[in-house]
């Protein structure tokens, strides 16, 4: 499963996030990238900005967050959301507005809310650090020997 998330081919995002990346990084420099900003992006259906914001807030590659956002498993998105200290209404909006063929049903959303409440900040941050490390290791060139 981890290889699905951190696959080398994910180094290049499927979409072009250039404008969203400029905006989000500027907001970060101005200390305006917070829960309220991510909530506004999610509520406005700004998928690119939400994806970049989660990547920036977690120091993760955009492509890794994109894979989580486009994946069918909503539970994996909870980890970078908790690590970024997002409040449940923001996470719920992200889960509801993801650009997937089928929207999330209420039962799955209730389970996600329960899981989000149980997920500690420390566990989420440790998992994100593991993903970051795994991603860096996979990008290391193999030494010829």
């Amino acid at each position: 499963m981890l290889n699905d998330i951190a696959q080398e081919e994910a180094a290049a995002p499927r979409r072009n996030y250039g404008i969203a990346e400029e905006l989000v990084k500027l907001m970060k420099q101005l200390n305006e990238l917070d829960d309220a900003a991510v909530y506004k992006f999610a509520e406005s259906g700004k998928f690119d900005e939400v994806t970049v914001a989660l990547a920036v807030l977690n120091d993760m590659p955009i492509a890794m967050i994109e894979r989580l956002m486009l994946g069918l498993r909503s539970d994996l998105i909870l980890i970078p959301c908790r690590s970024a200290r997002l409040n449940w209404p923001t996470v719920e909006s992200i889960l509801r507005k993801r650009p997937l063929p089928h929207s999330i049903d209420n039962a799955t959303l209730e389970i996600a809310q329960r899981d989000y409440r149980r997920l500690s900040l420390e566990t989420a941050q440790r998992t994100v650090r593991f993903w970051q490390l795994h991603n860096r290791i996979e990008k290391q060139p193999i030494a010829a020997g």
Side-chain angles (χ1 to χ4, degrees):
M1 176 199 65
L2 187 58
N3 285 336
D4 293 341
I5 297 168
Q7 211 126 54
E8 181 61 33
E9 69 190 31
R14 288 176 232 172
R15 301 163 65 111
N16 183 352
Y17 291 93
I19 294 170
E21 192 172 1
E22 285 180 37
L23 172 66
V24 169
K25 286 183 175 178
L26 177 62
M27 291 177 73
K28 172 105 170 122
Q29 289 173 357
L30 298 172
N31 289 325
E32 294 176 2
L33 186 60
D34 56 11
D35 179 78
V38 178
Y39 180 79
K40 285 179 191 166
F41 288 149
E43 281 296 297
S44 303
K46 295 186 174 186
F47 170 78
D48 292 357
E49 286 80 356
V50 170
T51 302
V52 174
L54 283 174
V56 168
L57 288 168
N58 286 290
D59 192 27
M60 291 175 69
I62 294 170
M64 284 181 79
I65 297 293
E66 179 188 58
R67 289 177 69 91
L68 295 176
M69 293 287 283
L70 293 174
L72 298 178
R73 292 186 57 184
S74 55
D75 58 335
L76 292 176
I77 295 171
L78 301 179
I79 295 165
C81 287
R82 174 62 81 197
S83 177
R85 295 178 162 90
L86 298 182
N87 296 316
W88 174 250
T90 303
V91 179
E92 180 180 9
S93 184
I94 291 169
L95 292 173
R96 286 188 186 277
K97 305 261 182 179
R98 286 194 304 155
L100 297 178
H102 304 289
S103 58
I104 190 168
D105 60 80
N106 287 333
T108 304
L109 202 57
E110 285 179 28
I111 292 168
Q113 184 177 17
R114 183 199 67 211
D115 292 347
Y116 195 68
R117 275 199 300 263
R118 291 180 179 170
L119 178 62
S120 74
L121 177 63
E122 295 76 23
T123 298
Q125 289 176 335
R126 196 168 36 248
T127 304
V128 165
R129 282 194 302 273
F130 179 76
W131 288 349
Q132 292 164 335
L133 180 63
H134 188 282
N135 186 58
R136 283 189 201 107
I137 290 170
E138 288 211 343
K139 287 185 177 177
Q140 294 285 327
I142 298 172

